[in-house]
Short mmCIF file of all heavy atoms in Angstrom, two decimals:
data_model
loop_
_atom_site.label_atom_id
_atom_site.label_comp_id
_atom_site.label_asym_id
_atom_site.label_seq_id
_atom_site.Cartn_x
_atom_site.Cartn_y
_atom_site.Cartn_z
N ALA N 114 23.50 105.18 33.97
CA ALA N 114 23.40 104.87 35.41
C ALA N 114 22.75 106.02 36.16
O ALA N 114 21.86 105.82 36.99
CB ALA N 114 24.78 104.55 35.97
N HIS N 115 23.19 107.24 35.87
CA HIS N 115 22.62 108.42 36.53
C HIS N 115 21.13 108.56 36.22
O HIS N 115 20.36 108.94 37.09
CB HIS N 115 23.38 109.68 36.12
CG HIS N 115 24.75 109.75 36.71
ND1 HIS N 115 25.71 110.60 36.21
CD2 HIS N 115 25.34 109.07 37.73
CE1 HIS N 115 26.82 110.45 36.92
NE2 HIS N 115 26.62 109.53 37.84
N LYS N 116 20.75 108.28 34.98
CA LYS N 116 19.34 108.35 34.58
C LYS N 116 18.48 107.43 35.45
O LYS N 116 17.33 107.72 35.74
CB LYS N 116 19.22 107.96 33.12
CG LYS N 116 17.81 107.89 32.60
CD LYS N 116 17.81 107.43 31.14
CE LYS N 116 16.41 107.00 30.74
NZ LYS N 116 16.40 106.35 29.44
N HIS N 117 19.08 106.34 35.90
CA HIS N 117 18.36 105.37 36.74
C HIS N 117 18.72 105.51 38.22
O HIS N 117 18.48 104.61 39.01
CB HIS N 117 18.64 103.95 36.24
CG HIS N 117 18.07 103.71 34.87
ND1 HIS N 117 16.73 103.50 34.65
CD2 HIS N 117 18.64 103.69 33.66
CE1 HIS N 117 16.51 103.34 33.37
NE2 HIS N 117 17.66 103.46 32.73
N ASN N 118 19.32 106.65 38.56
CA ASN N 118 19.63 107.01 39.96
C ASN N 118 20.65 106.10 40.65
O ASN N 118 20.53 105.81 41.83
CB ASN N 118 18.35 107.10 40.79
CG ASN N 118 17.42 108.16 40.26
OD1 ASN N 118 17.86 109.28 39.98
ND2 ASN N 118 16.16 107.83 40.09
N PHE N 119 21.66 105.69 39.88
CA PHE N 119 22.75 104.90 40.46
C PHE N 119 24.02 105.73 40.44
O PHE N 119 24.32 106.39 39.45
CB PHE N 119 22.98 103.60 39.68
CG PHE N 119 21.87 102.62 39.85
CD1 PHE N 119 20.83 102.56 38.93
CD2 PHE N 119 21.84 101.76 40.93
CE1 PHE N 119 19.79 101.66 39.08
CE2 PHE N 119 20.80 100.87 41.10
CZ PHE N 119 19.77 100.82 40.17
N ALA N 120 24.77 105.67 41.53
CA ALA N 120 26.09 106.29 41.57
C ALA N 120 27.07 105.35 40.87
O ALA N 120 26.90 104.12 40.90
CB ALA N 120 26.53 106.51 43.01
N VAL N 121 28.09 105.93 40.24
CA VAL N 121 29.10 105.14 39.56
C VAL N 121 30.45 105.50 40.16
O VAL N 121 30.90 106.65 40.08
CB VAL N 121 29.08 105.40 38.04
CG1 VAL N 121 29.99 104.40 37.33
CG2 VAL N 121 27.67 105.30 37.48
N GLN N 122 31.08 104.49 40.76
CA GLN N 122 32.33 104.70 41.50
C GLN N 122 33.40 103.76 40.94
O GLN N 122 33.12 102.60 40.67
CB GLN N 122 32.10 104.42 42.98
CG GLN N 122 30.95 105.22 43.55
CD GLN N 122 30.54 104.79 44.95
OE1 GLN N 122 30.93 103.74 45.45
NE2 GLN N 122 29.74 105.63 45.59
N TYR N 123 34.61 104.27 40.79
CA TYR N 123 35.69 103.50 40.17
C TYR N 123 36.87 103.35 41.12
O TYR N 123 37.19 104.25 41.88
CB TYR N 123 36.16 104.21 38.89
CG TYR N 123 35.08 104.25 37.85
CD1 TYR N 123 34.19 105.32 37.78
CD2 TYR N 123 34.92 103.22 36.94
CE1 TYR N 123 33.18 105.36 36.84
CE2 TYR N 123 33.91 103.24 36.00
CZ TYR N 123 33.05 104.31 35.96
OH TYR N 123 32.04 104.34 35.03
N TRP N 124 37.52 102.21 41.05
CA TRP N 124 38.69 101.91 41.86
C TRP N 124 39.69 101.12 41.06
O TRP N 124 39.32 100.50 40.08
CB TRP N 124 38.30 101.16 43.13
CG TRP N 124 37.48 99.92 42.89
CD1 TRP N 124 36.13 99.82 42.76
CD2 TRP N 124 37.96 98.58 42.72
NE1 TRP N 124 35.75 98.54 42.52
CE2 TRP N 124 36.86 97.74 42.49
CE3 TRP N 124 39.24 98.02 42.72
CZ2 TRP N 124 36.98 96.37 42.27
CZ3 TRP N 124 39.34 96.64 42.51
CH2 TRP N 124 38.22 95.84 42.30
N THR N 125 40.80 100.92 41.47
CA THR N 125 41.76 101.85 42.04
C THR N 125 42.43 102.53 40.85
O THR N 125 43.17 101.88 40.11
CB THR N 125 42.79 101.11 42.90
OG1 THR N 125 42.14 100.43 43.94
CG2 THR N 125 43.87 102.02 43.43
N ILE N 126 42.17 103.79 40.65
CA ILE N 126 42.59 104.52 39.48
C ILE N 126 43.84 105.33 39.83
O ILE N 126 43.77 106.28 40.60
CB ILE N 126 41.47 105.46 38.98
CG1 ILE N 126 40.12 104.76 38.95
CG2 ILE N 126 41.84 106.04 37.62
CD1 ILE N 126 40.07 103.47 38.17
N ASN N 127 44.96 104.93 39.24
CA ASN N 127 46.23 105.58 39.55
C ASN N 127 46.91 106.23 38.35
O ASN N 127 47.95 106.86 38.51
CB ASN N 127 47.20 104.59 40.21
CG ASN N 127 46.75 104.22 41.60
OD1 ASN N 127 46.18 105.03 42.31
ND2 ASN N 127 46.96 102.98 41.98
N GLU N 128 46.34 106.07 37.18
CA GLU N 128 46.90 106.70 35.99
C GLU N 128 46.20 108.04 35.77
O GLU N 128 44.97 108.12 35.77
CB GLU N 128 46.71 105.81 34.76
CG GLU N 128 47.45 104.48 34.85
CD GLU N 128 48.95 104.64 34.84
OE1 GLU N 128 49.45 105.63 34.25
OE2 GLU N 128 49.63 103.78 35.42
N GLU N 129 46.99 109.08 35.55
CA GLU N 129 46.43 110.41 35.41
C GLU N 129 45.43 110.50 34.26
O GLU N 129 44.36 111.11 34.40
CB GLU N 129 47.56 111.43 35.20
CG GLU N 129 47.07 112.85 35.15
CD GLU N 129 48.21 113.86 35.04
OE1 GLU N 129 49.35 113.47 34.70
OE2 GLU N 129 47.95 115.04 35.31
N TRP N 130 45.71 109.88 33.13
CA TRP N 130 44.80 109.96 31.98
C TRP N 130 43.47 109.28 32.29
O TRP N 130 42.42 109.74 31.84
CB TRP N 130 45.44 109.38 30.72
CG TRP N 130 45.58 107.88 30.72
CD1 TRP N 130 46.66 107.16 31.15
CD2 TRP N 130 44.61 106.94 30.27
NE1 TRP N 130 46.43 105.81 31.00
CE2 TRP N 130 45.17 105.65 30.46
CE3 TRP N 130 43.33 107.04 29.75
CZ2 TRP N 130 44.48 104.49 30.13
CZ3 TRP N 130 42.65 105.87 29.41
CH2 TRP N 130 43.22 104.61 29.60
N GLU N 131 43.49 108.18 33.07
CA GLU N 131 42.25 107.50 33.44
C GLU N 131 41.42 108.37 34.39
O GLU N 131 40.20 108.45 34.27
CB GLU N 131 42.54 106.15 34.08
CG GLU N 131 43.11 105.14 33.12
CD GLU N 131 43.49 103.84 33.79
OE1 GLU N 131 43.83 103.84 34.99
OE2 GLU N 131 43.45 102.81 33.10
N ILE N 132 42.10 108.99 35.34
CA ILE N 132 41.42 109.88 36.28
C ILE N 132 40.75 111.02 35.52
O ILE N 132 39.57 111.30 35.72
CB ILE N 132 42.41 110.43 37.33
CG1 ILE N 132 42.86 109.29 38.27
CG2 ILE N 132 41.80 111.58 38.12
CD1 ILE N 132 44.02 109.64 39.18
N LYS N 133 41.49 111.65 34.61
CA LYS N 133 40.93 112.76 33.83
C LYS N 133 39.74 112.30 32.99
O LYS N 133 38.73 113.00 32.90
CB LYS N 133 42.00 113.39 32.95
CG LYS N 133 43.00 114.20 33.73
CD LYS N 133 44.04 114.82 32.83
CE LYS N 133 44.98 115.70 33.64
NZ LYS N 133 45.97 116.37 32.81
N GLU N 134 39.85 111.14 32.38
CA GLU N 134 38.75 110.62 31.56
C GLU N 134 37.50 110.40 32.40
O GLU N 134 36.40 110.79 32.01
CB GLU N 134 39.17 109.30 30.89
CG GLU N 134 38.09 108.69 30.03
CD GLU N 134 38.53 107.41 29.35
OE1 GLU N 134 39.73 107.26 29.07
OE2 GLU N 134 37.66 106.56 29.11
N LEU N 135 37.66 109.80 33.57
CA LEU N 135 36.51 109.54 34.43
C LEU N 135 35.90 110.81 35.00
O LEU N 135 34.68 110.92 35.12
CB LEU N 135 36.89 108.56 35.54
CG LEU N 135 37.21 107.15 35.05
CD1 LEU N 135 37.78 106.30 36.19
CD2 LEU N 135 35.97 106.48 34.45
N VAL N 136 36.73 111.78 35.32
CA VAL N 136 36.23 113.08 35.78
C VAL N 136 35.42 113.73 34.66
O VAL N 136 34.29 114.20 34.89
CB VAL N 136 37.38 114.01 36.23
CG1 VAL N 136 36.89 115.44 36.41
CG2 VAL N 136 37.99 113.49 37.54
N GLU N 137 35.95 113.74 33.46
CA GLU N 137 35.25 114.33 32.31
C GLU N 137 33.94 113.60 32.01
O GLU N 137 32.99 114.21 31.52
CB GLU N 137 36.15 114.31 31.08
CG GLU N 137 37.30 115.29 31.16
CD GLU N 137 38.31 115.13 30.03
OE1 GLU N 137 38.07 114.34 29.10
OE2 GLU N 137 39.35 115.80 30.10
N ASN N 138 33.90 112.31 32.30
CA ASN N 138 32.69 111.51 32.04
C ASN N 138 31.70 111.54 33.19
O ASN N 138 30.70 110.84 33.16
CB ASN N 138 33.08 110.08 31.69
CG ASN N 138 33.76 109.99 30.35
OD1 ASN N 138 33.73 110.93 29.57
ND2 ASN N 138 34.39 108.86 30.08
N ASN N 139 31.98 112.34 34.22
CA ASN N 139 31.08 112.56 35.36
C ASN N 139 30.96 111.38 36.32
O ASN N 139 29.88 111.14 36.89
CB ASN N 139 29.69 113.00 34.89
CG ASN N 139 29.74 114.32 34.17
OD1 ASN N 139 30.40 115.25 34.61
ND2 ASN N 139 29.05 114.41 33.04
N ALA N 140 32.05 110.66 36.53
CA ALA N 140 32.05 109.61 37.55
C ALA N 140 31.74 110.25 38.91
O ALA N 140 32.13 111.38 39.18
CB ALA N 140 33.41 108.93 37.59
N ASP N 141 31.04 109.51 39.74
CA ASP N 141 30.67 110.03 41.06
C ASP N 141 31.80 109.93 42.07
O ASP N 141 31.88 110.73 43.00
CB ASP N 141 29.45 109.27 41.59
CG ASP N 141 28.24 109.52 40.72
OD1 ASP N 141 27.78 110.66 40.66
OD2 ASP N 141 27.78 108.56 40.07
N CYS N 142 32.64 108.94 41.91
CA CYS N 142 33.73 108.72 42.87
C CYS N 142 34.88 108.05 42.14
O CYS N 142 34.66 107.14 41.34
CB CYS N 142 33.23 107.85 44.02
SG CYS N 142 34.50 107.42 45.21
N ILE N 143 36.09 108.51 42.43
CA ILE N 143 37.29 107.88 41.90
C ILE N 143 38.20 107.58 43.08
O ILE N 143 38.68 108.49 43.75
CB ILE N 143 38.01 108.79 40.89
CG1 ILE N 143 37.08 109.11 39.72
CG2 ILE N 143 39.30 108.14 40.40
CD1 ILE N 143 37.60 110.18 38.79
N MET N 144 38.37 106.31 43.35
CA MET N 144 39.25 105.89 44.44
C MET N 144 40.64 105.66 43.85
O MET N 144 40.79 105.03 42.82
CB MET N 144 38.72 104.61 45.08
CG MET N 144 37.40 104.84 45.80
SD MET N 144 36.55 103.32 46.22
CE MET N 144 35.23 103.37 45.01
N SER N 145 41.65 106.22 44.52
CA SER N 145 43.01 106.18 44.00
C SER N 145 44.01 106.15 45.15
O SER N 145 43.70 106.58 46.27
CB SER N 145 43.25 107.43 43.15
OG SER N 145 44.58 107.49 42.70
N ASP N 146 45.18 105.64 44.84
CA ASP N 146 46.28 105.73 45.79
C ASP N 146 46.89 107.13 45.78
O ASP N 146 47.76 107.44 46.60
CB ASP N 146 47.37 104.71 45.45
CG ASP N 146 46.88 103.28 45.64
OD1 ASP N 146 46.07 103.03 46.55
OD2 ASP N 146 47.33 102.40 44.86
N TYR N 147 46.42 107.97 44.82
CA TYR N 147 46.94 109.33 44.65
C TYR N 147 45.79 110.34 44.69
O TYR N 147 45.41 110.91 43.67
CB TYR N 147 47.72 109.44 43.34
CG TYR N 147 48.80 108.40 43.23
CD1 TYR N 147 48.62 107.28 42.44
CD2 TYR N 147 49.97 108.51 43.97
CE1 TYR N 147 49.59 106.30 42.35
CE2 TYR N 147 50.96 107.54 43.90
CZ TYR N 147 50.76 106.44 43.09
OH TYR N 147 51.73 105.47 43.02
N PRO N 148 45.23 110.58 45.88
CA PRO N 148 44.06 111.46 45.97
C PRO N 148 44.34 112.88 45.49
O PRO N 148 43.44 113.54 44.96
CB PRO N 148 43.69 111.43 47.45
CG PRO N 148 44.88 110.91 48.16
CD PRO N 148 45.61 110.05 47.19
N GLN N 149 45.56 113.36 45.61
CA GLN N 149 45.87 114.71 45.13
C GLN N 149 45.71 114.78 43.61
O GLN N 149 45.24 115.77 43.07
CB GLN N 149 47.28 115.14 45.55
CG GLN N 149 47.57 116.59 45.21
CD GLN N 149 46.62 117.56 45.92
OE1 GLN N 149 46.44 117.50 47.13
NE2 GLN N 149 46.01 118.46 45.15
N MET N 150 46.09 113.71 42.92
CA MET N 150 45.94 113.67 41.47
C MET N 150 44.45 113.74 41.08
O MET N 150 44.08 114.42 40.14
CB MET N 150 46.57 112.39 40.91
CG MET N 150 46.76 112.42 39.40
SD MET N 150 47.41 110.87 38.69
CE MET N 150 48.78 110.46 39.75
N VAL N 151 43.61 113.06 41.85
CA VAL N 151 42.16 113.11 41.61
C VAL N 151 41.64 114.52 41.87
O VAL N 151 40.91 115.09 41.07
CB VAL N 151 41.40 112.08 42.48
CG1 VAL N 151 39.90 112.23 42.30
CG2 VAL N 151 41.84 110.66 42.15
N ASN N 152 42.05 115.09 42.99
CA ASN N 152 41.63 116.45 43.34
C ASN N 152 42.04 117.44 42.26
O ASN N 152 41.25 118.29 41.85
CB ASN N 152 42.22 116.86 44.69
CG ASN N 152 41.68 118.19 45.16
OD1 ASN N 152 40.49 118.35 45.35
ND2 ASN N 152 42.58 119.16 45.35
N ASP N 153 43.27 117.34 41.77
CA ASP N 153 43.75 118.24 40.73
C ASP N 153 42.92 118.09 39.46
O ASP N 153 42.58 119.08 38.81
CB ASP N 153 45.23 117.98 40.43
CG ASP N 153 46.15 118.36 41.58
OD1 ASP N 153 45.70 119.07 42.52
OD2 ASP N 153 47.33 117.93 41.55
N ALA N 154 42.59 116.85 39.09
CA ALA N 154 41.79 116.61 37.88
C ALA N 154 40.40 117.21 38.03
O ALA N 154 39.85 117.79 37.09
CB ALA N 154 41.71 115.12 37.59
#
Side-chain angles (χ1 to χ4, degrees):
H115 289 163
K116 176 182 165 190
H117 294 284
N118 298 314
F119 290 95
V121 189
Q122 306 170 347
Y123 295 90
W124 54 273
T125 301
I126 315 305
N127 290 326
E128 297 294 331
E129 185 176 17
W130 72 268
E131 291 176 331
I132 291 169
K133 287 181 177 182
E134 180 178 331
L135 292 172
V136 167
E137 289 172 7
N138 291 346
N139 297 316
D141 296 295
C142 176
I143 300 170
M144 293 166 254
S145 176
D146 294 327
Y147 306 103
Q149 187 61 51
M150 194 184 313
V151 175
N152 187 60
D153 292 346

